[in-house]
Amino acid sequence: MKKSLAVSSALLLAISLTLSACGGNNGNNGSESKGSNASSAPSGKIDELTIAFPGTSPQDLKLVEDEINKITEQKIQAKVRLTSISGGEWVQQTNLMLTSNEKLDLMFVSGALYNSMVSKEQLVPLDELLDKYGEGIKSAVGEDYLSAAKVNNKIFAVPSVRDMAAYYGITMRKDLVDKYGIDTASIKTLDDLDGVLKTIKDGEGFAPLIPSGAGQTYLDNYLFYDRLGDGIGVLPGYDNGLKVVNLYETQEYKDLLTRLRDWYQKGYIMKDAGTNKTTPWELIKSNKGFAYIAGMKPGFAEQESQAAGTPLVAIELLPSVAMTSTVTGAMWGIPVNTKLEDKAVQFLNLMYSDKAIVNLLDWGIEGKHYVKSQDGENVIDYPQGVDATTTGYNMPYGWMFGNQFLSYVMKGNDPAIWSKTEEFNKAANRSKAMGFGFDPTPVKTEYAAVSNVITQYKMPLETGSVDPEKVLPEFISKLKAAGIDKIIAEKQKQLDAWARANSVQ
């Protein structure tokens, strides 16, 4: 997957899908789905499932849908109607569909909205359905990561299989690394970047450190703590004895702001970083940037190199960690609107266990939208005369559609990317609070007020644009006046209850 939800790049919804994609397959090379309890031939009524997801609607979506239905009518006696909704309209449109009881049987669920949807009783509990029809889902996701999606000890949505963790580091242009003889092996912490940034600034004349995305600060992808969903009350070191603290009052946060201010004053940071609307790849392509801090995963450097159009190198600064947010960033749930719960979870099971279904969703139809490559059994390429901009089916959302590990890999990417990602997931550290989700409903008034204060101060502080010695105390004071201590107390209360219920000490 290209930057993943755990960490990379594709859609920017109101729900922040920062992932991209790398997977795909054909419509007649499927593995037998597990746990579907389906017969091998259609008998009786064929049900229709309405499936909604955020993204663009490619020209050949209906053709791909027809190929998928050839499989599903045989396997689960159902056909699907794929409904794509633009990222900017996703929240509004799905809310309307849910509140008006419009037909909707299966939908993408963002971790940013998950707890709210559960509290509004918009999603069907899945535990019994997974036991009955979801063997393929349970096998693909694994108990550890599946449990991270529990709310009140029940599963209401299933995480897609992709990078479930992230590590944080610095991405740099290889041409300039080579030009100035920068020893990347010696870069272990932010302290080691001062000399590197000075070298590039002095030699190239531009501010070397650019934001990792439009509207993002320099600290958005440098998480030395578990955000516990929203960053309003965090868990330093992903543990901290399960004691929730105000990030903005910690010494670590102040030290980072001081460093950013120093870099800003030395010209290492873009002067307009606080208002930047340009992607890091565009800045690099136009020779206006050298490096950016990012959340990473296996294959990240190759993925970003393709996006930037020039080779990049990625250096780890913080070790990989799995948190609730990295697991639940992209999920699938069954809305309460449905009258086809059984069929919906059976199709969902195919998205996690059937190679043909996965690759139809990811890549389209073999021979028309992609062809097998000679570079490996799992590698594909575009047909002659076709590329990503001209194909009739460009859906770079492999991280979204079920089990990305069943997806083909487009030529130019690492053929072993999925096995490496699977090992990455298994080896990642776990936050002590992985699986905890905060419900802000009891403090919704304070939550809105604090969120407004953060919106006002976070960007200028975390881009070095203002002096933290003067502005940080003002920020903290306004947070307290808005009620942040009450929110943190409520989050601590919920975390304690979650820890007791899950025997976490």
Side-chain angles (χ1 to χ4, degrees):
M1 146 187 66
K2 283 186 172 185
K3 158 162 186 84
S4 84
L5 162 136
V7 247
S8 192
S9 35
L11 302 172
L12 278 179
L13 317 175
I15 51 182
S16 205
L17 289 182
T18 27
L19 302 92
S20 300
C22 264
N25 165 353
N26 72 26
N28 54 20
N29 184 28
S31 61
E32 188 67 26
S33 67
K34 300 177 181 178
S36 67
N37 286 6
S39 59
S40 60
S43 60
K45 179 184 177 185
I46 300 294
D47 295 303
E48 181 176 272
L49 298 168
T50 299
I51 301 171
F53 60 92
T56 56
S57 182
Q59 173 185 324
D60 292 345
L61 182 63
K62 183 63 171 63
L63 296 179
V64 173
E65 181 183 289
D66 290 343
E67 291 300 311
I68 290 173
N69 288 338
K70 291 177 183 178
I71 300 172
T72 59
E73 288 183 21
Q74 291 288 327
K75 289 196 170 186
I76 62 172
Q77 290 76 63
K79 60 182 180 178
V80 302
R81 183 165 65 88
L82 301 174
T83 303
S84 63
I85 301 172
S86 72
E89 298 177 354
W90 173 257
V91 175
Q92 181 180 358
Q93 288 295 319
T94 53
N95 273 336
L96 183 61
M97 294 173 78
L98 290 166
T99 55
S100 63
N101 203 33
E102 186 174 337
K103 178 174 171 55
L104 185 58
D105 303 297
L106 187 63
M107 67 180 292
F108 175 83
V109 175
S110 162
L113 301 177
Y114 180 44
N115 279 64
S116 174
M117 294 181 72
V118 172
S119 67
K120 293 176 184 176
E121 299 183 342
Q122 293 177 326
L123 296 172
V124 173
L126 299 179
D127 301 81
E128 292 184 6
L129 289 165
L130 290 175
D131 286 342
K132 190 173 183 181
Y133 301 111
E135 179 189 338
I137 295 170
K138 293 165 74 173
S139 174
V141 179
E143 183 61 33
D144 193 11
Y145 286 120
L146 196 58
S147 293
K150 287 185 176 180
V151 177
N152 298 326
N153 212 32
K154 291 183 179 179
I155 297 170
F156 293 87
V158 178
S160 63
V161 177
R162 57 185 197 284
D163 49 318
M164 299 291 205
Y167 65 91
Y168 302 93
I170 187 82
T171 307
M172 301 181 291
R173 282 173 51 178
K174 188 177 185 301
D175 61 337
L176 295 183
V177 167
D178 293 343
K179 178 179 178 179
Y180 293 99
I182 295 170
D183 179 13
T184 57
S186 67
I187 301 173
K188 305 292 185 183
T189 69
L190 291 177
D191 291 335
D192 302 320
L193 289 178
D194 286 85
V196 173
L197 297 177
K198 183 180 190 306
T199 296
I200 301 300
K201 169 65 177 174
D202 292 346
E204 300 295 317
F206 56 71
L209 192 62
I210 56 180
S212 55
Q216 292 194 9
T217 78
Y218 288 98
L219 299 185
D220 280 336
N221 288 297
Y222 190 78
L223 302 184
F224 58 93
Y225 53 87
D226 189 331
R227 288 172 50 82
L228 299 177
D230 50 30
I232 305 176
V234 305
L235 213 59
Y238 323 108
D239 188 322
N240 203 43
L242 290 183
K243 178 175 173 54
V244 183
V245 303
N246 182 348
L247 168 67
Y248 308 110
E249 289 187 293
T250 64
Q251 186 63 44
E252 292 91 340
Y253 184 73
K254 182 178 180 180
D255 291 344
L256 285 169
L257 296 186
T258 301
R259 181 187 299 278
L260 290 174
R261 180 61 177 170
D262 177 57
W263 285 352
Y264 183 89
Q265 291 178 314
K266 289 177 177 176
Y268 302 165
I269 286 176
M270 293 169 50
K271 293 300 181 185
D272 61 348
T275 57
N276 170 65
K277 302 298 181 185
T278 308
T279 69
W281 316 301
E282 292 172 306
L283 290 170
I284 285 175
K285 285 177 181 177
S286 58
N287 200 38
K288 295 179 180 178
F290 163 68
Y292 52 97
I293 298 170
M296 302 176 180
K297 61 179 178 59
F300 182 79
E302 293 83 356
Q303 164 199 302
E304 299 296 285
S305 296
Q306 290 182 14
T310 189
L312 302 176
V313 294
I315 309 298
E316 178 181 320
L317 299 177
L318 294 175
S320 61
V321 62
M323 298 175 276
T324 302
S325 58
T326 63
V327 175
T328 64
M331 297 191 291
W332 286 89
I334 298 176
V336 293
N337 300 36
T338 189
K339 294 180 173 61
L340 299 169
E341 293 180 10
D342 288 12
K343 290 295 175 71
V345 80
Q346 286 180 51
F347 179 74
L348 186 60
N349 192 72
L350 292 178
M351 286 172 59
Y352 286 77
S353 60
D354 191 291
K355 193 176 180 73
I357 295 290
V358 169
N359 284 288
L360 278 164
L361 289 166
D362 287 354
W363 296 111
I365 301 168
E366 183 179 0
K368 182 176 182 63
H369 303 119
Y370 72 89
V371 294
K372 296 289 184 65
S373 170
Q374 301 300 313
D375 293 349
E377 182 180 345
N378 201 46
V379 180
I380 60 171
D381 200 353
Y382 290 108
Q384 186 173 3
V386 176
D387 60 25
T389 63
T390 59
T391 178
Y393 191 80
N394 185 8
M395 288 277 277
Y397 311 138
W399 48 268
M400 181 194 299
F401 289 122
N403 185 357
Q404 192 172 30
F405 293 174
L406 294 180
S407 182
Y408 287 145
V409 177
M410 182 56 72
K411 185 176 180 179
N413 294 282
D414 183 355
I417 185 61
W418 304 138
S419 60
K420 291 179 180 178
T421 303
E422 185 173 18
E423 288 305 310
F424 172 74
N425 288 343
K426 291 177 180 177
N429 298 316
R430 270 44 167 184
S431 167
K432 196 168 187 177
M434 191 177 84
F436 169 71
F438 176 56
D439 177 9
T441 305
V443 286
K444 60 184 178 181
T445 301
E446 293 82 5
Y447 197 85
V450 166
S451 297
N452 287 336
V453 174
I454 292 173
T455 299
Q456 179 184 354
Y457 284 90
K458 185 175 186 288
M459 181 62 74
L461 278 169
E462 295 185 10
T463 55
S465 305
V466 296
D467 183 359
E469 288 295 329
K470 297 178 181 178
V471 180
L472 181 58
E474 179 183 320
F475 178 32
I476 293 171
S477 175
K478 289 196 175 182
L479 286 172
K480 289 186 175 295
I484 193 170
D485 291 336
K486 185 175 180 181
I487 296 173
I488 291 174
E490 175 62 28
K491 183 174 279 189
Q492 185 72 68
K493 175 184 174 183
Q494 292 185 25
L495 180 61
D496 291 343
W498 170 85
R500 287 193 298 271
N502 292 276
S503 302
V504 178
Q505 298 179 351

